[in-house]
Amino acid sequence: MSKKPVILVTRKLPDAVEDRLKRDYEPMLNPNDTLYSADEIIKMASKADAILPCHTEKFTSEVIARLPDSIKAIANFSVGVDHVDLQAARDKGLIVTNTPDVLSDATAETALLLLLGAARRAGEGEALVRQQQWKDWSPSFMVGVQVTGKRLGIVGMGRVGQVVARRARGFDMNIHYHNRSRLSPDLEDGATFYDQLDDLLPHCEFLSLNCPNTPETVGLLNAERIARLPDGAIVINTARGTVVDDEALIAALKSGKLAAAGLDVFNNEPDIHPAYRSLKNTFLLPHIGSATRETRNAMGFRALDNLDAIFAGREPGDRVA
Ligand code: DGY
């Protein structure tokens, strides 16, 4: 029997995924879930045929150039691939895959959680209860913004954006969106399309960021764009922190231009801009968009499907480079 391919797995994966890895491969597992440095990954990779990383490991062009020739593929446990320099991978002849589709529902759930949490001041309210600071009920106590029937603008109407729209319709929200291209009428489902992001913004009582991190989207929500939002708008981000200009968002939250923000992703995670923590009108989560048992299993199995195809000499379903 030929030797099983060796897979360097950079983080602790769900048990069922590790069981399948052990059955079909020689995995180099990380039972303690240690965050490996680039040097450690490069060293361990000399014994491996492929790497199964998460977005927490950065594969810059320098790292990719230093990977040993034994490595044929980077099969990511993530839909986002902004942590991998795809051109450098192509130049080195590496196959790169991701895990689309399987995390759309979980991420959209998180977007709705943020939307409701930010609008209804859930973080602030929970802290009052936990810290025994809840003294009384009054008509003016903890009054937030109603979600039902409001206009939701979605930037990036890909897989996740479309599920966000469907779930938001359950709250009778009116969907407006900007995307690189207009969706077909069945996918659009009555949503209003704006060819230009700047034209969408004045219509957004809520704004959900669902676009990928690309050079074009870095700093997309900047001071000029925030100024175009209606006063009292609420911003939700489950995409990537890079899409937001932190200083501009924080200034707008401080001035009251924006009523609130619900954020699951940040620049420089987990060392986020400290002002987010001190503001009362932020509802903050630690990048848990895809963190459900079902989705994390599905992401792992999808990464393994890609590896299976690669080592069987077939084209992997989710090839991005
Ligand atoms: C993704 O899959 O891109 C999520 O953000 C987790 O990495």
Side-chain angles (χ1 to χ4, degrees):
M1 210 174 86
S2 62
K3 198 175 154 298
K4 291 176 182 175
V6 179
I7 312 298
L8 170 58
V9 182
T10 62
R11 304 302 302 262
K12 172 86 187 84
L13 297 182
D15 289 345
V17 178
E18 292 197 346
D19 287 347
R20 185 171 141 187
L21 264 162
K22 286 183 215 157
R23 188 192 66 191
D24 299 339
Y25 296 94
E26 289 291 337
M28 298 167 70
L29 299 176
N30 181 356
N32 297 325
D33 205 24
T34 311
L35 190 58
Y36 295 144
S37 69
D39 284 346
E40 286 170 316
I41 289 174
I42 290 161
K43 194 163 168 225
M44 287 184 283
S46 64
K47 298 190 183 72
D49 300 300
I51 307 177
L52 196 167
C54 297
H55 78 275
T56 43
E57 289 75 55
K58 310 291 174 225
F59 288 88
T60 60
S61 56
E62 293 76 23
V63 173
I64 288 177
R66 291 174 58 209
L67 285 177
D69 291 341
S70 62
I71 297 296
K72 290 168 195 57
I74 300 175
N76 290 290
F77 183 96
S78 68
V79 65
V81 285
D82 48 314
H83 57 291
V84 181
D85 187 321
L86 295 180
Q87 191 52 52
R90 279 185 209 107
D91 293 346
K92 202 176 160 73
L94 288 177
I95 298 174
V96 182
T97 59
N98 70 341
T99 58
D101 303 319
V102 291
L103 40 62
S104 306
D105 285 329
T107 308
E109 283 180 8
T110 303
L112 268 290
L113 171 65
L114 291 172
L115 193 147
L116 290 165
R120 300 302 304 273
R121 303 170 59 181
E124 222 183 311
E126 209 225 16
L128 286 180
V129 178
R130 279 187 188 280
Q131 293 157 15
Q132 298 185 26
Q133 298 298 314
W134 177 28
K135 306 288 183 218
D136 191 13
W137 184 95
S138 113
S140 56
F141 175 60
M142 288 285 310
V143 173
V145 175
Q146 189 142 317
V147 168
T148 302
K150 294 284 169 61
R151 283 191 303 272
L152 169 64
I154 298 178
V155 180
M157 203 49 143
R159 302 175 191 90
V160 177
Q162 289 174 37
V163 185
V164 171
R166 282 209 294 280
R167 303 289 177 260
R169 285 190 185 99
F171 287 95
D172 297 333
M173 298 190 89
N174 295 305
I175 311 301
H176 300 246
Y177 75 101
H178 166 70
N179 198 41
R180 270 175 300 194
S181 53
R182 186 170 181 171
L183 300 184
S184 59
D186 56 322
L187 292 179
E188 201 169 67
D189 199 12
T192 308
F193 172 67
Y194 298 82
D195 187 42
Q196 300 299 319
L197 172 60
D198 286 355
D199 295 337
L200 163 74
L201 296 171
H203 301 277
C204 303
E205 291 169 291
F206 290 81
L207 180 73
S208 177
L209 300 171
N210 295 103
C211 50
N213 173 20
T214 63
E216 295 75 44
T217 62
V218 170
L220 171 143
L221 192 66
N222 56 21
E224 294 73 44
R225 296 239 165 82
I226 290 172
R228 297 185 71 80
L229 288 166
D231 291 347
I234 292 180
V235 169
I236 305 303
N237 191 4
T238 51
R240 284 287 187 261
T242 49
V243 176
V244 168
D245 175 337
D246 284 336
E247 297 297 343
L249 181 59
I250 288 161
L253 289 164
K254 281 185 176 161
S255 72
K257 164 68 188 172
L258 294 178
L263 308 172
D264 182 50
V265 287
F266 301 86
N267 282 298
N268 201 32
E269 296 172 8
D271 298 320
I272 68 171
H273 195 303
Y276 285 127
R277 282 193 284 266
S278 55
L279 283 167
K280 276 191 166 179
N281 53 352
T282 53
F283 184 59
L284 310 175
L285 295 175
H287 199 147
I288 56 165
S290 63
T292 67
R293 266 195 301 277
E294 295 85 347
T295 292
R296 290 286 160 85
N297 278 335
M299 289 167 75
F301 293 142
R302 188 95 175 206
L304 292 187
D305 290 346
N306 287 318
L307 283 174
D308 291 350
I310 292 165
F311 286 105
R314 288 183 277 112
E315 183 67 7
D318 305 313
R319 186 169 184 166
V320 292

